[in-house]
Amino acid sequence: MSLPVRERSPRPGGGRHRRPVPTSLPPDAPVLVLATPGETAGVAEEIAAVVRVDNPQIEVRLTSVTDLADTLPGGREAVVVPLLTWEDPVVMAEIGKAVAATGTGAVVTDALGPHPLLAEALHIRLAERGLARADRVRLLNVSSPVDAVILGTVGGERAVRAVQATAVLLASRLTLPVVAASLDTEPGVGVAAQRLRAAGAQRLAIAPCMIGHEAPAGIVERAAAQIDAGYAEPLGAHGAVAELVARAYGSQLAT
């Protein structure tokens, strides 16, 4: 029988937490432009829909990075939020060039990670596949389904370094070893798995630190098969991702 998965409320700012964006904004408030490095259809579209539902007071536009210049509003402020879990310099440079070319003065926020909310979402994705305890407090005495987790990313060694902080946050939640490794370059998950198994961890799982549009389809499944490990789904339109988008926008309003 699968254990229940505790996921945060889909509405940001519920309970004792302060809302990341004021409940009402003036008509000329900056437009929130979501810039995705991949296709706008699919997961990016789902994230934009969640952000709109959770924040109806914001005008949300979704665009690919290549079409960003045509999406920025003329004569109105905009906040561009990259749909990235780490500061990919190639994508961030493309966004910066597109904004500069329009002369609109739009503000570009940082990537969505590292952040504790990403670690929370990664934990939940693992639990949904039976690869982690669903509740790290209530089920503290229940043995973990795996011995260690590989935090998979794409973008080479630079990406691996960038998600190290997220790996530490996830390890704290799981009380398990978590190491970051590349899914698309060497040394990759194969080397990480060898090191973990040499240290005594036999049951492994891959947690992709990706929203879902950053890499070719099937890359996580192939990596997991290579090392005989379980794997979680990418973050996708998890409520934590939508909340991080709203937080990025809200922090620009505050400044």
Side-chain angles (χ1 to χ4, degrees), residues 234-247:
L235 294 166
H238 189 279
V241 175
E243 180 168 345
L244 285 170
V245 169
R247 284 173 180 254

Side-chain angles (χ1 to χ4, degrees), residues 114-116 118-120 122 136 149 151 160-180 209:
H115 194 281
L118 280 185
E120 178 182 332
L122 289 163
R136 59 185 177 140
V149 172
L151 189 68
V160 172
R161 291 194 300 269
V163 301
Q164 290 291 349
T166 302
V168 172
L169 291 167
L170 182 59
S172 177
R173 291 188 62 90
L174 299 176
T175 62
L176 290 174
V178 178
V179 298
C209 190

Side-chain angles (χ1 to χ4, degrees), residues 172-227:
S172 177
R173 291 188 62 90
L174 299 176
T175 62
L176 290 174
V178 178
V179 298
S182 175
L183 293 167
D184 60 349
T185 61
E186 296 295 339
V189 295
V191 172
Q194 289 175 2
R195 291 175 178 171
L196 287 169
R197 287 187 168 127
Q202 297 305 310
R203 301 169 301 169
L204 306 180
I206 297 177
C209 190
M210 304 184 300
I211 292 172
H213 49 227
E214 304 94 326
I219 190 171
V220 180
E221 293 91 330
R222 289 192 293 272
Q226 173 192 346
I227 62 173

Side-chain angles (χ1 to χ4, degrees), residues 13-125:
R16 62 185 176 83
H17 300 286
R18 181 175 61 85
R19 288 186 62 89
V21 181
T23 55
S24 62
L25 294 172
D28 61 346
V31 175
L32 193 167
V33 180
L34 284 172
T36 173
E39 297 291 330
T40 56
V43 63
E45 201 168 41
E46 292 172 9
I47 294 170
V50 175
V51 174
R52 290 187 183 104
V53 170
D54 288 348
N55 304 274
Q57 73 278 31
I58 304 174
E59 180 182 340
V60 179
R61 299 186 184 183
L62 173 64
T63 183
S64 65
V65 172
T66 54
D67 294 331
L68 176 58
D70 295 330
T71 307
L72 291 172
R76 186 173 170 189
E77 295 181 347
V79 175
V80 180
V81 180
L83 280 180
L84 298 169
T85 57
W86 67 286
E87 293 281 312
D88 185 328
V90 175
V91 178
M92 296 301 288
E94 290 179 3
I95 292 174
K97 289 178 182 177
V99 170
T102 64
T104 60
V107 176
V108 181
T109 73
D110 294 334
L112 304 181
H115 194 281
L117 283 177
L118 280 185
E120 178 182 332
L122 289 163
H123 181 183
I124 291 172
R125 288 290 184 248

